[in-house]
Amino acid sequence: MSDPLPMFPLSTVVFPGMSVPLHVFEDRYRMLVRHLLEEDDPAQRVFGTVAIREGYEVGDHGAQSVYRVGCVLQLTEVDRRDDGTFDIVAVARERLVLEEMQRGSDYPQGLAVVLPEPEVDVPAEVLERARATFTAFRVAMTELQGDPYSGTLPRDPDYLAWTLSALAPLPMAERQSLLEAEDATERLTLVTRMLTEELRAINVIPSLPATQVARTAWSPN
């Protein structure tokens, strides 16, 4: 992407395949949504997101306030409310690397390039271990507070890696490390280790899982 991309930094890490519901109330982001709706082709209603680093505000610290790796989002649903705010849904597509954050005249913009996914042959043992670990985690979480996932796990290694990354209840920095992992093999290895550590924490204190981050039910598109 050589042209500036509208940017909507969020206080969470988004992974490809996720549906992201947002209530848009700030003036600058309402202008961003209106800008996207001027595009006739729905496939071109895209903007970028990166996670805001803890302890920062985007307007005060610019590029220091956000991680560099994020996702391209496509606007898929819009509900314009009477008070001028919007309820929207966007679907995360490919990853991006933010090269420069710009204020823009109406809403934040950034210079970003798409980060292609390398094609790798994920070893069968890595896939089996990831599936087994998530199954154990799912059973433990279901007993505590309900099933965290609806549906069956994807067979495709890339989709599986993104799904488990989105479901893993981890602090932001660790979720960001999953987003930045080089390929599906590395990502599945990392998320398996992290879920194993989470299971150990649940077993030590069954009534208090290690973190409440991303513990809502989620289903990929």
Side-chain angles (χ1 to χ4, degrees), residues 205-218:
I205 314 177
S207 63
L208 184 62
T211 175
Q212 292 299 319
V213 177
R215 288 188 182 274
T216 56
W218 182 83

Side-chain angles (χ1 to χ4, degrees), residues 136-199:
F137 167 77
R138 188 177 183 180
V139 169
M141 287 305 301
T142 298
E143 293 177 353
L144 286 174
Q145 59 180 51
D147 195 339
Y149 181 67
S150 59
T152 57
L153 290 177
R155 299 183 63 85
D156 179 86
D158 284 315
Y159 290 140
L160 177 64
W162 291 130
T163 299
L164 297 188
S165 296
L167 290 166
L170 301 168
M172 181 180 292
E174 293 185 6
R175 289 172 66 79
Q176 184 68 29
S177 70
L178 291 170
L179 182 65
E180 295 181 9
E182 184 173 344
D183 55 40
T185 299
E186 180 180 327
R187 190 168 295 112
L188 285 169
T189 301
L190 278 172
V191 75
T192 298
R193 187 188 73 211
M194 294 172 179
L195 285 173
T196 299
E197 293 172 354
E198 177 72 5
L199 272 169

